[in-house]
Amino acid sequence: MARGAAVTWRRGLLVTACLLGAAPVVAQGTAAKAPVAARGSASKAPAASPAQPDASARPRFAWPRVQVIDTVESNEIVEAGGIPVALRAVHAKERMDDLVQRFADAFIQAGLHVPPGHEQPQLASGAVMLTAIDGHRGITYTVIFQPQPDRTTKMYLGEANHALRRDPAAAGDFAPMPPQASQVLRVNSESSRTLAFHVPLSGEAVDAFYAQALTRAGWRLEEGETSFYVRAGEELRVVHESGEANQRAVVLVYRGGRSVPPPPPGPAAVVR
């Protein structure tokens, strides 16, 4: 998978995780639990959290400080299902295990609800996902940790503010979905529109559906590509992977232009 597609796919996973029904309201008044070490991670479960003050007296959670090598993409706020989600991606010097522990400790020390390890979504390729919930403010925080061959870590951070949810504007989708599609999520940002869903089809069936449907709508495969379609002034990528219960997780990413300006260079020192 190309670097841009990989970043887009992980952003889609991140947005979905932020909106999952680890519903903030349900977590109100729930004591924080130490997460079991995530699959593929050697980190130990954090120590028990000390008694926390009333949530109304606590400051809003601030991401822990990390040593940044560079930014992977610019900061961004998207609207997913009517919920604003702030996204950020950084490349950190620290090892993944150390960062997972640091973020888990920070979540618990801030009095957030951290679902136990078996309730935390797990990813392929050694990546680890960690989610925490501020039930009083209606905010979910999610991090995807992706280890790198040089023992550094790429992190994708998301913050979804459910308290600011509004009914999403009715607008036609940029591409059709198979009839059995479910768990549909629409995400809009300044640079792209994303359509994510699950469907009980094989990868070959998904590819065949879009090869026919998109060709009929005037799209054509870019030369040398198998999932990247173009037509005058537009581009569309189809990404999918196996999910649970014989479902296929599908993400379609649409851009209105063939090129998107690169983000400005980010800070090269420390971020929070």
Side-chain angles (χ1 to χ4, degrees):
M1 189 183 299
R3 177 183 178 278
V7 169
T8 298
W9 176 234
R10 286 191 171 79
R11 181 174 68 174
L13 284 173
L14 182 59
V15 172
T16 301
C18 286
L19 302 180
L20 284 179
V25 175
V26 175
Q28 287 189 7
T30 304
K33 301 178 182 178
V36 176
R39 187 182 309 168
S41 169
S43 62
K44 301 177 181 179
S49 172
Q52 298 293 332
D54 181 73
S56 60
R58 293 197 307 262
R60 181 171 168 143
F61 175 75
W63 294 106
R65 297 173 66 89
V66 300
Q67 296 297 319
V68 174
I69 297 174
D70 59 20
T71 54
V72 180
E73 60 180 354
S74 61
N75 295 352
E76 185 175 12
I77 295 180
V78 303
E79 184 176 290
I83 299 172
V85 183
L87 302 176
R88 179 168 49 163
V90 297
H91 188 181
K93 293 181 180 179
E94 294 96 325
R95 295 178 51 182
M96 182 181 75
D97 292 345
D98 296 335
L99 290 169
V100 171
Q101 187 69 53
R102 185 183 309 168
F103 277 72
D105 288 343
F107 286 151
I108 291 173
Q109 289 168 6
L112 306 184
H113 170 65
V114 182
H118 67 276
E119 296 180 13
Q120 296 278 354
Q122 301 301 318
L123 307 176
S125 304
V128 171
M129 184 183 292
L130 183 65
T131 294
I133 305 159
D134 184 338
H136 297 274
R137 291 185 172 89
I139 299 174
T140 53
Y141 299 91
T142 298
V143 190
I144 295 176
F145 304 88
Q146 179 67 59
Q148 301 301 301
D150 61 358
R151 301 169 74 86
T152 62
T153 308
K154 287 184 179 178
M155 298 192 305
Y156 303 83
L157 293 76
E159 179 179 330
N161 195 329
H162 299 252
L164 297 181
R165 184 188 184 280
R166 63 178 183 178
D167 291 333
D173 291 333
F174 54 83
M177 290 181 287
Q180 297 168 294
S182 63
Q183 303 179 54
V184 179
L185 176 66
R186 296 170 175 85
V187 180
N188 298 318
S189 69
E190 292 183 2
S191 60
S192 66
R193 294 170 62 193
T194 302
L195 183 62
F197 56 89
H198 286 74
V199 66
L201 297 175
S202 66
E204 292 78 8
V206 171
D207 289 337
F209 173 85
Y210 280 105
Q212 182 179 47
L214 294 178
T215 299
R216 199 163 47 227
W219 294 90
R220 64 174 177 80
L221 272 174
E222 181 78 298
E223 184 177 354
E225 294 279 349
T226 59
S227 61
F228 185 65
Y229 293 82
V230 297
R231 66 185 182 187
E234 300 172 286
E235 59 185 44
L236 191 159
R237 185 177 293 277
V238 181
V239 185
H240 54 81
E241 68 177 23
S242 60
E244 298 180 353
N246 297 318
Q247 295 282 315
R248 198 82 185 164
V250 183
V251 175
L252 278 64
V253 181
Y254 169 85
R255 294 175 186 268
R258 291 301 311 277
S259 62
V260 176
V270 178
V271 299
R272 20 180 342 158

